[in-house]
Amino acid sequence: MIRIQQLHTQISETAAPKLQSIDQKTQHKLDWFKNNGWGYKDTKFILEQDGAVRLTGNKYRFSNQKMMKFKEWAEAKVGIDLSLNCEAQIEIPSDPPIINEQFMNAIQGQFNEVSFDNAQRILHSHGHTMQEIYELRHGKLARIVDCVIYITQHAQAELLVKLATEYNVMLCVYGGGTNVTWALQCPKEERRMIVSVDMSRMNHIKLVDRKNMTALVETGITGKDLEKELSRYGVVCGHEPDSVEFSTLGGWISTRASGMKKNRYGNIEDIVRSVKVVTPTGTLSQSLDYPRVSSGPDLNQIILGSEGTLGIITEAVIKIKAQPEVCKYESILFHNFALGTEFMYRLSRSKVWPASVRLVDNNQFQFGMALKTMPHNKREEFMDKIKKYFITQFMQFDPDQMCLVTVVFEGTKQEIEFQEKKVFELAKFYKGFRAGSENGERGYFLTYMIAYLRDFAMQFQFIAESFETAVGWKNVPAVCENIQRRIVEECQKRGVEKEPFVSFRISQVYDSGATIYVYFGFGYKGIADPVKCYSEIEDAAREEIMKNGGSISHHHGVGKLRKQFMQKQVGETGVEILKRLKQQIDPKNIFGNQNLI
């Protein structure tokens, strides 16, 4: 029998001299990323003795600035009891790994980094749903990966899949770990050895073609690093999901993702030209160095949204664009959500679409205002009071009804001037008021803070999460109204003491419809199983969405969280096609994460 410590030693000795030692490399992400919550280890919201809330660290524009209004708002409007401190467990329990000795013998000397470290195994066995974070803080993951292997090149992916198929080892591909559909959860009943394939070392841009405006990129690269490297060539990808700091190109492809600036750069299916994928039956690699092709069904579409069920996506050719000359934030106040929604609809018909345009309801608008930092001086404080008086008294905006559209313009100076003129003309027709760049930028700040705030609230026995849907324009009001009603009803049925917090955001516009984000949360004091309670309410909300014409998901994907709704979404024949495709490409179920179906 091969001992785990022996394996560490043997693999370490075969590593190339230029690489760091295994322990240094495999611990790298945990050096800066939390092990039981979202984001950077040095970044979290804390409640100070004077009642101020502060974001620690130095990663964001508003870090280490006091937010004096948040505590009062959270207690009065959301119902968070900040006296109910609920600390997370210090150590996360785990079971010993299952070892396939034949497989481990076969990989000796083939991979530079292999880890059986428990912290690494746990990190690679979860995404970032509320349910998973709650288990990390207060419980235990039911099944975790047995081993983590870091691959550095396409050839290693092919070898790993070959050996896993030969020795019947399950593979689970890991990109940035930001998934929010339980896609990274290991099947509880899986008794084979499970190996997490970490893609983070495959993070290089291999080619930039400025003539054709394409780039060949390894899929383990994060969005933040992708843009940083592309900027050296004066180009951008432009795909910017909320998780852009941590999520990867491969994860975007796997989940069929969308970014906040899709109006200018497209969704991921618009950006990707071709993919290279290692499957148990061979490698799919297409030469698509042309703008369009008619050669049967688009094989890219089989991989887009496949959620790690078919193979390892190692490389992709993506479209790139020239860096925008100007990036400008703006915001528009509307008297209520109905007027804001009508503005968004008319904007979608106009085809004058800024890079990003998003409408938040009153709850979320107040949320953003509560996160406003303290004025730096008396003049700022005075100007804030003048602005508030002007908006509420002179312009007659009701603080409990008004909502906000945040806008990002990107492009040439001429493009932005034209778009601004059209957007603000339309806003004026719907009694909108131009509210300035500061509110627009704060709207983006709030986007990146949502998951940090969710973790902060969890300390005080308050659980919250977001989910999204795509819906036709004519159904937008009904979807919002009925989700609100259904969530409140389901909370009452389950003994939730206070009314839940429910908020909506229209985050994307299309010709025929929109993307709606739903945020909801509640205090779980006195509830025996908060995770079960929350999951049941979320499922009920999803049922209500589909009953009112909404989709199973717009860009988060399906995973295991939503697969019970797949037949209703794609039909019985659609499910059968996906099953047959899986069986043909992966007959031994090597990529057995059980996502989608």
Side-chain angles (χ1 to χ4, degrees), residues 197-233:
V197 186
D198 190 295
M199 301 296 294
S200 61
R201 307 300 184 251
M202 291 193 66
N203 60 356
H204 304 95
I205 296 174
K206 301 180 77 172
L207 176 70
V208 172
D209 186 335
R210 285 297 306 269
K211 188 73 172 179
N212 289 345
M213 292 303 278
T214 59
L216 174 60
V217 186
E218 292 178 334
T219 57
I221 196 167
T222 64
K224 185 178 180 180
D225 288 341
L226 175 61
E227 296 298 356
K228 180 181 177 182
E229 291 302 308
L230 286 176
S231 68
R232 296 166 53 196
Y233 302 91

Side-chain angles (χ1 to χ4, degrees), residues 145-306:
V145 302
D146 302 301
C147 171
V148 181
I149 296 180
Y150 291 74
I151 62 174
T152 59
Q153 55 187 297
H154 174 82
Q156 287 190 335
E158 291 189 318
L159 176 62
L160 183 56
V161 173
K162 176 179 178 294
L163 294 175
T165 303
E166 183 176 349
Y167 295 105
N168 196 25
V169 168
M170 180 186 149
L171 300 179
C172 185
V173 187
Y174 184 92
T178 59
N179 182 273
V180 287
T181 62
W182 301 351
L184 287 170
Q185 282 188 3
C186 301
K188 296 176 185 178
E189 69 280 5
E190 182 60 73
R191 301 318 302 159
R192 294 178 295 177
M193 183 180 186
I194 303 176
V195 171
S196 176
V197 186
D198 190 295
M199 301 296 294
S200 61
R201 307 300 184 251
M202 291 193 66
N203 60 356
H204 304 95
I205 296 174
K206 301 180 77 172
L207 176 70
V208 172
D209 186 335
R210 285 297 306 269
K211 188 73 172 179
N212 289 345
M213 292 303 278
T214 59
L216 174 60
V217 186
E218 292 178 334
T219 57
I221 196 167
T222 64
K224 185 178 180 180
D225 288 341
L226 175 61
E227 296 298 356
K228 180 181 177 182
E229 291 302 308
L230 286 176
S231 68
R232 296 166 53 196
Y233 302 91
V235 296
V236 298
C237 167
H239 187 75
E240 195 172 292
D242 297 359
S243 60
V244 67
E245 300 162 286
F246 313 117
S247 58
T248 63
L249 174 59
W252 303 341
I253 295 169
S254 293
T255 54
R256 200 175 169 85
S258 179
M260 292 183 282
K261 298 176 182 176
K262 75 92 187 164
N263 292 345
R264 182 169 180 84
Y265 302 102
N267 291 316
I268 195 63
E269 66 269 22
D270 305 309
I271 294 170
V272 169
R273 292 282 298 275
S274 66
V275 293
K276 184 181 282 189
V277 189
V278 181
T279 79
T281 50
T283 296
L284 171 65
S285 181
Q286 305 174 83
S287 175
L288 295 178
D289 194 19
Y290 19 75
R292 190 178 185 275
V293 61
S294 176
S295 57
D298 186 350
L299 297 179
N300 286 338
Q301 297 300 326
I302 294 174
I303 304 304
L304 282 154
S306 57

Side-chain angles (χ1 to χ4, degrees), residues 343-358:
F343 163 79
M344 296 287 276
Y345 167 66
R346 292 298 175 187
L347 185 68
S348 78
R349 308 308 294 170
S350 75
K351 280 299 194 179
V352 180
W353 296 0
S356 173
V357 55
R358 303 188 300 169

